[in-house]
Amino acid sequence: MSISKTLFAVIALSISFCCVFGQGKFPKVIDKEDPKLTGYIVNTKGDTVQCNFKKPALGTLRYKPVNSTEKFKKPSTDDLKAYYCAWDSTMYEALPIDTDGYNPVFLKRLESGTIRLYEEDVVSNGYFMNGYYTGGGTNTYFYVSKDLASLKEIKSNTLNIGGESRKKRKAYLMGLIADDPDLAKQFDAEQDYDLKTLRHYIHDFNLFKSAAAK
């Protein structure tokens, strides 16, 4: 293309741009709403209610019944037995973790079946002392329950777990899966005690019990 033709094209494009700008005809940016997070709650009466959820940038999930004019609110153990949201596809249950059976907290259910495995994340805030930032972080605890019995802590990222050694905690879990002797034998010889390993044995035991019930 010659220099004159190139110059003409640039001028024509500039004129066209100015005309569009002057008429305010820039294409509009259409904001798309975030897809609704759906799920349900189980209230203290045992009723299941379909709900919409939203997840703030900071803080916990909030919910309100579908087609409700209520404001979104945080799940509370005073109102709910459990809730499930598509945000993380996880069931949260209000369960007591202390021996007296009071003060339930929401626990994340990791495995379902005869043996249930739950996770609790406890966030502690840091503070300044003598010019230094101290503390803060998340402690994670894992509990099991067989046939809906009381919860038993079997793993944590803290150093002291209820005063019980890993050997005792492993023995307790091995007792829970003793109905499947082969699986219990494998677990007894297992060297690892990380979450992935525990979930594997609990999951396989639940499959064993489910097949035996058919």
Side-chain angles (χ1 to χ4, degrees), residues 27-39:
K28 294 182 179 180
V29 177
I30 300 175
D31 293 327
K32 294 184 178 180
E33 293 185 0
D34 293 332
K36 287 183 178 179
L37 296 173
T38 58

Side-chain angles (χ1 to χ4, degrees), residues 16-17 19-31:
S16 175
F17 177 83
C19 290
V20 172
F21 180 85
Q23 297 175 15
K25 292 184 178 180
F26 281 117
K28 294 182 179 180
V29 177
I30 300 175
D31 293 327

Side-chain angles (χ1 to χ4, degrees), residues 151-182:
L151 296 172
K152 177 74 172 180
E153 185 181 326
I154 59 166
K155 185 173 177 60
S156 172
N157 67 346
T158 61
L159 295 178
N160 184 17
I161 307 179
E164 291 191 347
S165 65
R166 168 176 158 173
K167 182 178 180 180
K168 287 184 177 180
R169 287 178 276 123
K170 181 176 180 178
Y172 177 82
L173 184 54
M174 191 164 66
L176 296 185
I177 65 175
D179 296 347
D180 185 345
D182 291 338

Side-chain angles (χ1 to χ4, degrees), residues 1 29 33 42 45 50 68 81-82 89 92 102 113 117 129 141 145 152 159 172 180 188 191-192 201 207 211:
M1 182 182 291
V29 177
E33 293 185 0
V42 180
K45 296 180 181 179
Q50 298 297 317
S68 171
K81 288 184 176 181
S89 301
Y92 293 83
Y102 296 102
L117 175 65
M129 177 180 290
Y141 305 89
S145 171
K152 177 74 172 180
L159 295 178
Y172 177 82
D180 185 345
D188 188 29
Q191 298 300 312
D192 294 324
Y201 284 98
L207 290 179

